[in-house]
Amino acid sequence: MKKIIAYNRVERPVLDDLKQRYDVRFFKGIDPAADSEFLHELQMAEGIIGLELPVDENLLNHAPNLKIISNVSVGYNNLDLEAMKKRNIMATNTPDVLNDTVADTVFGILIATARRIPELDQYVKNGKWEIKAVGNDLFGTDVHHKTLGIIGMGRIGKAIAKRAHFGFDMDILYHSRSRKPDVESTFQAGYRSLDALLQESDFVCLITPLTPETEGLIGKREFKMMKNSAIFINGSRGKTVVETDLIDALRNGDIAAAGLDVYTNEPVEPDNPLLTMKNTVTTPHVGSSTHETELKMSELAAENLEAGLNGRKPPNLVDPSVWTETTT
Ligand code: NAP
């Protein structure tokens, strides 16, 4: 039986199914760079399936038999693709099956932040609702008919634009590396430079991958460009934002509020100022985390893994050139 490692998150039915055909070892909550049992298993593993395993040269040096790493996520910033390519190790991800779920999460956070829903929830539950008509100190700001700027108009960005345009009559601006004629016609969206988008948007939503180009994309300069009334939403990865600059912007009133699913360090440190600010809404990196979608992601990741282990081209190869090299 081929040995595979499952890491962090693979849904139970998928894990049980894989165990029928493979020698599976599941690891969670370990330090993969230092855990001796994990490093021992890695010596024999031909495949890895899981979420956010940090893969670098050092880890790969412990994995002489590895053929494929199948991420249970669309993002693959945890993988050193160059180091993997040198060793002809395939990388796969799980695009598309999560688009609507992540868009729902991002839009939910956006509404929660604008309408201050978590704060109001605590107000009611903590017995502070004493007079029938609450004061305007608890009012929020409208979402509908406002301008939404989406940075990263990819698969998930489009699903966010769909909700905003058709559901909330919002004007859509977007910024990505290339223009998208389909997006412009379907959602009447306007392409903008990053700076123009920041200046014109009521809501700024960041949903790019984390890459060397997007790391720290939004920092002090960018927050200063946004409207003082702007609400900033980050559904991408924490490191696309300079978090200390975000904290300053929220404190200084450069922007009004932020809704965040991702952070520089995860889990976020308990003393992180973002956790005690009134003008933030925080969720624990759960963009795709519904029962239905996590199962679909695990199933797709298993399909990728099994293809790669058995000489077939995985449907979601991150770098297709690695397949060509392994098969010629
Ligand atoms: P995608 O289809 O590849 O779209 C990414 C978009 O970002 C593309 O439009 C791309 O522009 C744009 N982009 C890339 N680099 C850029 C740059 N330097 N400046 C401006 N725009 C840039 O990816 P996706 O499936 O929508 O996923 C996007 C990201 O969402 C993932 O990589 C992941 O980090 C994040 N995510 C988070 C969660 C969560 O739980 N919070 C869940 C799922 C995904 P071009 O089209 O012009 O190349």
Side-chain angles (χ1 to χ4, degrees):
M1 261 188 177
K2 291 177 174 163
K3 182 173 280 292
I4 63 175
I5 288 177
Y7 182 77
N8 229 348
R9 187 189 293 156
V10 181
E11 288 302 288
R12 173 61 59 190
V14 174
L15 204 52
D16 288 345
D17 181 58
L18 286 171
K19 282 180 182 166
Q20 311 278 321
R21 295 179 296 288
Y22 302 92
D23 176 8
V24 183
R25 285 295 314 274
F26 181 67
F27 291 89
K28 189 175 180 163
I30 56 152
D31 175 359
D35 190 285
S36 56
E37 208 181 325
F38 174 81
L39 293 172
H40 174 72
E41 295 294 327
L42 202 52
Q43 290 287 335
M44 290 153 302
E46 292 185 48
I48 297 176
I49 179 170
L51 179 69
E52 290 185 354
L53 176 67
V55 173
D56 56 13
E57 290 273 4
N58 186 39
L59 182 131
L60 294 174
N61 287 339
H62 289 87
N65 295 304
L66 198 59
K67 291 193 175 78
I68 179 164
I69 302 177
S70 173
N71 264 6
V72 187
S73 63
V74 68
Y76 47 82
N77 49 285
N78 58 310
L79 305 177
D80 182 338
L81 293 179
E82 280 306 308
M84 289 176 66
K85 190 178 170 132
K86 271 196 286 182
R87 296 164 169 84
N88 282 341
I89 298 170
M90 292 174 271
T92 61
N93 65 345
T94 60
D96 288 320
V97 291
L98 42 55
N99 295 348
D100 283 323
T101 297
V102 180
D104 284 353
T105 308
V106 167
F107 221 83
I109 295 170
L110 187 154
I111 296 173
T113 312
R115 297 299 305 272
R116 302 168 59 185
I117 289 172
E119 202 182 329
L120 296 170
D121 174 64
Q122 289 304 304
Y123 178 82
V124 177
K125 288 179 180 166
N126 292 339
K128 293 187 183 154
W129 190 19
E130 286 164 354
I131 53 165
K132 195 159 184 173
V134 298
N136 63 6
D137 56 322
L138 290 174
F139 291 178
T141 189
D142 276 333
V143 172
H144 64 85
H145 295 95
K146 295 280 182 71
T147 298
L148 171 64
I150 299 175
I151 306 168
M153 188 53 89
R155 291 169 293 236
I156 298 169
K158 286 179 196 171
I160 295 168
K162 181 178 170 188
R163 283 152 179 76
H165 175 69
F166 293 114
F168 290 80
D169 292 309
M170 297 179 90
D171 292 326
I172 311 291
L173 304 177
Y174 77 100
H175 176 74
S176 49
R177 290 173 298 190
S178 55
R179 283 185 73 153
K180 320 281 178 198
D182 59 324
V183 165
E184 293 179 23
S185 61
T186 308
F187 309 120
Q188 291 161 35
Y191 183 81
R192 294 288 187 279
S193 68
L194 180 61
D195 291 0
L197 180 145
L198 298 172
Q199 286 161 354
E200 292 178 44
S201 300
D202 299 309
F203 294 87
V204 174
C205 175
L206 184 57
I207 190 72
T208 59
L210 174 62
T211 64
E213 292 76 42
T214 61
E215 185 164 353
L217 185 68
I218 305 297
K220 183 174 179 178
R221 171 186 166 279
E222 289 72 28
F223 287 118
K224 293 266 181 218
M225 279 191 171
M226 294 183 201
K227 297 179 183 180
N228 294 149
S229 57
I231 291 181
F232 174 69
I233 308 294
N234 191 7
S236 61
R237 288 288 185 265
K239 288 179 182 163
T240 52
V241 175
V242 183
E243 202 166 83
T244 48
D245 291 350
L246 169 62
I247 292 165
D248 287 345
L250 287 162
R251 280 183 174 146
N252 300 340
D254 293 334
I255 62 170
L260 307 167
D261 188 43
V262 289
Y263 309 86
T264 299
N265 297 314
E266 297 181 4
V268 65
E269 321 82 344
D271 61 347
N272 188 316
L274 291 169
L275 304 190
T276 47
M277 291 175 145
K278 269 186 102 172
N279 53 350
T280 58
V281 170
T282 56
T283 51
H285 198 152
V286 288
S288 59
S289 300
T290 61
H291 294 296
E292 299 91 335
T293 294
E294 287 291 348
L295 182 59
K296 283 184 199 155
M297 291 164 67
S298 285
E299 286 169 348
L300 184 53
E303 193 183 329
N304 282 319
L305 176 82
E306 292 212 67
L309 287 177
N310 296 297
R312 301 189 307 277
K313 186 174 181 178
N316 305 109
L317 269 179
V318 168
D319 178 358
S321 73
V322 177
W323 167 255
T324 313
E325 284 173 18
T326 53
T327 52
T328 50

